[in-house]
Amino acid sequence: MTEPEPHSGVYVDGAWRAGSDGRTFEVRNPADDSVLATLADASAPDASDALAAAAAAQSSWGATPVGTRAGLLRELHNAVLERAEEFADLITAESGKTLADARGEVGYGAQFLAWFADQASQLPHGEHYTDPAGAVRILTQYRPVGPCLLITPWNFPLAMITRKLAPALAAGCTSVVKPAAQTPLTAVRLVELLHELGLPAGVVNLLSTTRAVEVSEAVFASPALRKVSFTGSTGVGSALLRAGAERVVNSSMELGGDAPLIVFDDAEPDHLDQVLVAKLRNSGQSCIAANRILVQDASADAFVEALAERFHALRVGAGRAEGTDVGPLIDDAAVRKVSRLVDEAVAAGARIAAQAPLPEGPGSYYPPTLLVDVPGECAIAREEIFGPVACVSRFKDEADAIRTANATQAGLASYVFTQDLSKALRVGTALDFGIVGVNRGFVSTAAAPFGGIKTSGLGREGGLHGLDEYLECQYLSLPVNSPT
Ligand code: NAP
């Protein structure tokens, strides 16, 4: 194998390479717009080569003993954690999130490596039984689905990759990984570690690129592609489902959310800390961020007053700076989008109850903002905000809360705050969402099934069934009495 060139960005068949047309692109720090690195910019021929390498490696990787595959994941887990500060710093540099959030992501991202190493040892072992008439001997076994395309977003540059790559490797699938153009450096570092650990050529291929459409079309053009796993916006997810429809490509989709967070009058006194986590982690740029905060009438005024105090006190700044609570957004376009949503709501009658001060100087910052009395027809009441803006509205009773919470096409995460556990179970069960956090604003763990319903996606990542997404069941039909 050729030794990796640091940060070439494109890794195909066990070697780092320049992109086939020699183009490069810059990765920037959203805190100050400085250039962090220049990477090779993969195009269609690189993508075709990457998939061909994944296809060529599929049968030997699928036949590699599961203990060997799990062992590699454990080594990668240890290697990432040994370099936890390096990874956290890289994540902060390219995504803008605070170092505290980045350290949390390193822990969360590494969890998937350990979790799927353990799950691999419990891979579905298949069954053996006869049909009720006693005529057929039924044998089932599970096989890797085949070469995968794994496409990830910028908001969790490490965890969104390990959440897909760990089960793919554990199940015996080879992959082409396409990280977001804004945050490829963490992916490059992860693949460098896999290379150093001796991963066989072709098992994982990496395409850093600014040409997402061209690259994914080239991968979809090959009949060797058997699976796409995508995390990102609902629009791109449905375009990828269409692209895979013709050849019926196995698809897992983790798409956008519109999370309601319901606070009942009897919420625990310290629920505000959890509300802040659910709203502001990663500057509000999370698919499970609380998008609509619904508070029961009797406690609404006190809630807004207390939350306003907390918002006023937030320190906005570079993710690497000591004491920063909220970092920059990913880029200026994200700032413009959030500004537009807030300005439109204010023009329609919404009131800004609190706004944190902004730092001086450059950077893609938007001030954490608390909005109340938002008219229901405003876009901010219906769209995924993806920024540090909390919209608070009121509800009368349980039925009102459930109706309002469910009035969305998205169905990823939701939150319920009450001390009454039977109410939490009743409301949680009535919520049309894949995830319900009860008295918790942080629900992410590799051990739980993560995923949404309706336009928020298809399939689950993590948990006891995360491996199933990368396996296919084969049934062998045998006569009960073997012919002589
Ligand atoms: P995005 O625009 O959909 O991009 C996600 C990834 O898809 C990036 O790698 C992007 O490449 C690539 N991409 C864009 N257009 C493509 C196309 N036509 N064909 C193939 N790939 C394409 O989403 P984002 O703005 O990065 O992320 C934010 C969204 O992700 C939000 O809606 C959020 O809710 C969702 N999200 C969901 C989850 C979940 O688990 N459900 C987790 C995190 C985020 P480029 O970077 O080159 O554009």
Side-chain angles (χ1 to χ4, degrees):
M1 268 186 234
T2 329
E3 278 312 299
E5 286 170 31
H7 304 309
S8 88
V10 179
Y11 181 75
V12 175
D13 205 15
W16 296 92
R17 54 151 87 169
S20 53
D21 62 5
R23 262 170 57 174
T24 59
F25 70 104
E26 290 174 342
V27 183
R28 289 176 179 270
N29 183 336
D32 58 13
D33 206 34
S34 60
V35 176
L36 295 167
T38 301
L39 295 189
D41 192 354
S43 59
D46 302 305
S48 303
D49 289 353
L51 189 67
Q58 178 56 56
S59 63
S60 65
W61 184 247
T64 299
V66 75
T68 307
R69 301 199 303 251
L72 177 89
L73 285 174
R74 283 198 191 92
E75 286 181 56
L76 183 61
H77 169 261
N78 296 342
V80 168
L81 289 187
E82 278 159 19
R83 295 160 182 79
E85 269 312 288
E86 183 198 340
F87 269 102
D89 193 58
L90 202 50
I91 291 170
T92 292
E94 63 179 351
S95 75
K97 69 177 67 176
T98 62
L99 265 179
D101 278 348
R103 289 181 182 126
E105 183 183 348
V106 174
Y108 176 51
Q111 265 181 25
F112 288 100
L113 303 169
W115 176 259
F116 283 109
D118 291 345
Q119 292 294 302
S121 59
Q122 296 168 28
L123 267 177
H125 299 296
E127 302 101 10
H128 177 203
Y129 54 101
T130 54
D131 76 314
V136 185
R137 193 183 295 278
I138 296 163
L139 197 70
T140 66
Q141 52 190 10
Y142 291 84
R143 304 161 15 133
V145 64
C148 304
L149 172 61
L150 311 179
I151 304 181
T152 55
W154 46 261
N155 58 351
F156 292 91
L158 178 69
M160 295 302 98
I161 294 182
T162 55
R163 206 164 77 170
K164 299 181 189 308
L165 193 57
L169 286 169
C173 295
T174 60
S175 306
V176 174
V177 179
K178 199 225 82 67
Q182 282 154 316
T183 57
L185 300 179
T186 307
V188 168
R189 191 69 191 104
L190 190 72
V191 173
E192 280 174 359
L193 290 181
L194 275 169
H195 183 93
E196 285 162 21
L197 291 172
L199 182 78
V203 174
V204 173
N205 304 273
L206 178 71
L207 298 173
S208 300
T209 183
T210 60
R211 293 172 271 186
V213 176
E214 175 183 329
V215 155
S216 83
E217 280 177 0
V219 173
F220 273 96
S222 166
L225 179 70
R226 290 314 320 143
K227 166 140 195 127
V228 59
S229 178
F230 171 76
T231 296
S233 58
T234 299
V236 173
S238 69
L240 292 172
L241 284 171
R242 281 194 295 278
E246 201 174 326
R247 269 202 320 280
V248 194
V249 173
N250 181 315
S251 305
S252 300
M253 294 283 148
E254 295 287 349
L255 309 178
D258 176 14
L261 185 152
I262 303 170
V263 183
F264 283 100
D265 285 344
D266 61 354
E268 286 171 7
D270 65 353
H271 66 277
L272 223 51
D273 291 337
Q274 296 297 317
V275 172
L276 283 167
V277 169
K279 178 68 253 182
L280 292 178
R281 192 164 65 107
N282 205 12
S283 305
Q285 301 170 112
S286 159
C287 52
I288 55 172
N291 211 44
R292 299 171 287 144
I293 300 177
L294 317 175
V295 187
Q296 197 158 14
D297 269 334
S299 51
D301 289 340
F303 178 91
V304 168
E305 200 179 315
L307 194 60
E309 214 171 289
R310 302 289 285 268
F311 265 61
H312 279 305
L314 289 167
R315 287 156 302 181
V316 184
R320 279 168 163 160
E322 193 71 28
T324 296
D325 297 309
V326 177
L329 301 192
I330 187 66
D331 57 21
D332 289 349
V335 174
R336 284 195 295 276
K337 183 208 147 183
V338 176
S339 299
R340 176 180 57 74
L341 289 173
V342 172
D343 293 350
E344 186 217 14
V346 169
R351 180 169 65 82
I352 294 181
Q355 200 160 47
L358 278 186
E360 300 282 323
S364 303
Y365 293 99
Y366 191 84
T369 302
L370 175 57
L371 271 187
V372 293
D373 304 331
V374 177
E377 67 278 10
C378 288
I380 203 165
R382 289 174 283 110
E383 279 183 28
E384 197 179 18
I385 303 169
F386 239 57
V389 179
C391 290
V392 177
S393 61
R394 296 161 179 259
F395 67 88
K396 277 202 305 285
D397 52 23
E398 235 175 272
D400 188 19
I402 293 167
R403 194 171 41 248
T404 310
N406 283 342
T408 174
Q409 274 309 300
L412 185 56
S414 56
Y415 303 87
V416 180
F417 287 83
T418 170
Q419 292 186 58
D420 177 345
L421 194 54
S422 48
K423 180 164 38 175
L425 283 173
R426 205 166 51 238
V427 173
T429 306
L431 289 173
D432 296 332
F433 294 83
I435 301 166
V436 185
V438 176
N439 297 330
R440 287 175 60 81
F442 184 77
V443 291
S444 302
T445 159
F450 192 102
I453 61 173
K454 302 198 283 186
T455 59
S456 289
L458 297 170
R460 295 294 180 270
E461 291 189 322
L464 299 174
H465 302 285
L467 265 189
D468 299 349
E469 303 277 324
Y470 295 87
L471 293 169
E472 275 174 341
C473 175
Q474 183 185 47
Y475 147 52
L476 274 69
S477 178
L478 305 167
V480 168
N481 298 310
S482 296
T484 51

